[in-house]
Amino acid sequence: MAGTAIQRRAFLATTAASVGAIAGCFGTSNQALPNDPTGDWRQQAHDSRNTGASDVVVPDRGNQAWDAGDAGSIEPLVADGMVYSVGASATALDAQTGEQEWEYDFSAQTGPTPTVTENYLLIPVEQQLVALNRSDGSEEWSRSLPRPAEGALTAGPSIITLPLTGRRGETGLIAYDATTGERLWSHSTLAARTTAINDDHVYVTGYLQDGNTGVFRALSTADGSLLWETELDHPDTKPVVANDELLVTDQGTLAVHDPEDGTRVRSLGTFGDRLGTPPAVSNGTAFLGTRSQEIVALSIDDGETIWQQSGSATRGISVGRESIVISGERLPEASSAGLAALDRSDGTVQWEHQIEGFDAYPSTAPVLADGAVYYTSNASSGVVAFGDVPSNDDE
């Protein structure tokens, strides 16, 4: 797969220092965040356990700072002060200013959410897995995939896993060495969801090869061998590791499973016939959005409702230290699509941001760093950064 990496500094040095080239290194708004955001969000749900939670402070205001990069409907990722944006190209952006450090243009269609490892940005591209050097965007290696990727990459301490588009009789999940890209093992789970990796276990939901029987499986990280299997009625979403237990949604029911053998320990409640997005979890609380347009905080210990708030989280929920941020098609206080920050202790609305434009809505779950929120929408071709900055309406 051919591609081109363009470093910002090299580009500016070899062009005639044109104003247009310099302006292109920033987003449509040049308003920098007040501080350099810290904290990493290296994969779709922050970490390999799919918790959707990071120990960072959500900004006091949700005003747009900058809009940059090329993202489409793929979650941005944050690592070491850089935001990585993937669409028709991959770009590395300064997390505070949106300034572009490098860009890599693809000659093929990129797939689901990539992941960031110590050295690489790993991206599914049609039937390839491509590793870009994080420092300059150069291609380090690529590996052929049996079929295109279906779910987001998950990076554990030593391996990365990638669900493939479903085909009976074929591999459904594949694992690679996170450093070399060496293929380690494959597994047969059909229509596999994004995995959760915890210690020496890989957890995955999907179907048996009959295409009808839902399953929840634990695999060995070493060789992909089956450790246990539990049948499900309909595995709605990917699994989540919550402390020493596993959370799985099954045809609208959020249930807790034992990580030793997969046994269902208890149900935390049923929320309609489906749950479209997995819960985010932190400190014994599960946060989820229901199809009846409610945001619910539940105790993982007993399923007790801690609080409930109106609003949609169709794109997901992300949890910070004292706040959660929801991304969906209906805000708690405004009948429009956008993002909102809620107090994680009682659900009080802290701020809302409506996405302007006809039929505009967020495309991804929020990605959090300390003092910043990043997301994409169909109203922008890049990553939008929110922070504690003046709004366009402020004088």
Side-chain angles (χ1 to χ4, degrees), residues 62-151:
N63 293 332
Q64 181 173 322
W66 51 260
D67 179 349
D70 178 20
S73 59
I74 299 175
E75 281 91 348
L77 301 173
V78 184
D80 302 320
M82 300 297 295
V83 174
Y84 297 95
S85 167
V86 177
S89 63
T91 53
L93 310 169
D94 183 280
Q96 183 176 9
T97 67
E99 183 179 1
Q100 182 177 296
E101 292 296 317
W102 55 256
E103 179 178 11
Y104 183 97
D105 290 322
F106 294 104
S107 59
Q109 179 64 44
T110 55
T113 304
T115 191
V116 175
T117 64
E118 182 178 358
N119 297 312
Y120 304 129
L121 173 63
L122 299 171
I123 306 168
V125 185
E126 289 192 343
Q127 290 190 221
Q128 298 281 326
L129 177 62
V130 178
L132 301 183
N133 188 302
R134 286 178 52 193
S135 64
D136 60 9
S138 59
E139 183 177 321
E140 294 289 329
W141 49 259
S142 66
R143 301 290 181 263
S144 296
L145 300 173
R147 291 186 313 288
E150 178 71 16

Side-chain angles (χ1 to χ4, degrees), residues 51-236:
T51 64
S54 180
D55 186 25
V56 297
V57 176
V58 172
D60 291 335
R61 291 185 290 180
N63 293 332
Q64 181 173 322
W66 51 260
D67 179 349
D70 178 20
S73 59
I74 299 175
E75 281 91 348
L77 301 173
V78 184
D80 302 320
M82 300 297 295
V83 174
Y84 297 95
S85 167
V86 177
S89 63
T91 53
L93 310 169
D94 183 280
Q96 183 176 9
T97 67
E99 183 179 1
Q100 182 177 296
E101 292 296 317
W102 55 256
E103 179 178 11
Y104 183 97
D105 290 322
F106 294 104
S107 59
Q109 179 64 44
T110 55
T113 304
T115 191
V116 175
T117 64
E118 182 178 358
N119 297 312
Y120 304 129
L121 173 63
L122 299 171
I123 306 168
V125 185
E126 289 192 343
Q127 290 190 221
Q128 298 281 326
L129 177 62
V130 178
L132 301 183
N133 188 302
R134 286 178 52 193
S135 64
D136 60 9
S138 59
E139 183 177 321
E140 294 289 329
W141 49 259
S142 66
R143 301 290 181 263
S144 296
L145 300 173
R147 291 186 313 288
E150 178 71 16
L153 281 161
T154 304
S158 59
I159 69 168
I160 53 173
T161 59
L162 183 60
L164 304 176
T165 54
R167 181 181 297 173
R168 294 187 185 185
E170 301 280 353
T171 293
L173 179 69
I174 195 164
Y176 294 90
D177 184 281
T179 302
T180 66
E182 175 189 0
R183 179 168 169 168
L184 300 177
W185 50 261
S186 60
H187 193 79
S188 61
T189 302
L190 191 65
R193 312 293 188 189
T194 297
T195 72
I197 302 176
N198 193 43
D199 298 328
D200 55 356
H201 287 57
V202 175
Y203 300 105
V204 62
T205 55
Y207 292 86
L208 298 179
Q209 283 290 323
D210 63 13
N212 297 313
T213 306
V215 289
F216 179 26
R217 287 171 163 169
L219 313 176
S220 166
T221 57
D223 57 13
S225 58
L226 181 65
L227 301 177
W228 52 254
E229 174 183 288
T230 297
E231 287 193 9
L232 302 175
D233 291 326
H234 191 290
D236 292 341

Side-chain angles (χ1 to χ4, degrees), residues 322-376:
E322 298 175 348
S323 309
I324 71 169
V325 183
I326 63 172
S327 173
E329 296 171 1
R330 183 180 180 276
L331 296 172
E333 297 180 350
S335 298
S336 61
L339 278 72
L342 312 178
D343 186 295
R344 60 179 283 173
S345 65
D346 60 12
T348 302
V349 177
Q350 297 175 324
W351 52 257
E352 291 186 343
H353 181 90
Q354 301 178 42
I355 299 176
E356 298 180 357
F358 174 74
D359 199 26
Y361 54 83
S363 305
T364 64
V367 169
L368 308 183
D370 211 43
V373 177
Y374 305 96
Y375 81 102
T376 70

Side-chain angles (χ1 to χ4, degrees), residues 243-313:
N243 294 329
D244 296 325
E245 296 180 306
L246 304 171
L247 268 62
V248 173
T249 59
D250 181 14
Q251 201 154 347
T253 297
L254 179 61
V256 178
H257 291 250
D258 189 325
E260 295 302 317
D261 58 12
T263 303
R264 179 181 286 194
V265 178
R266 60 189 176 278
S267 170
L268 301 183
T270 298
F271 306 89
D273 58 350
R274 289 284 172 84
L275 276 170
T277 56
V281 300
S282 178
N283 296 333
T285 303
F287 303 90
L288 67 151
T290 70
R291 287 204 166 188
S292 59
Q293 296 190 336
E294 297 286 341
I295 311 301
V296 183
L298 299 171
S299 167
I300 296 175
D301 285 341
D302 55 17
E304 179 183 356
T305 298
I306 300 171
W307 56 259
Q308 191 166 315
Q309 172 67 271
S310 63
S312 166

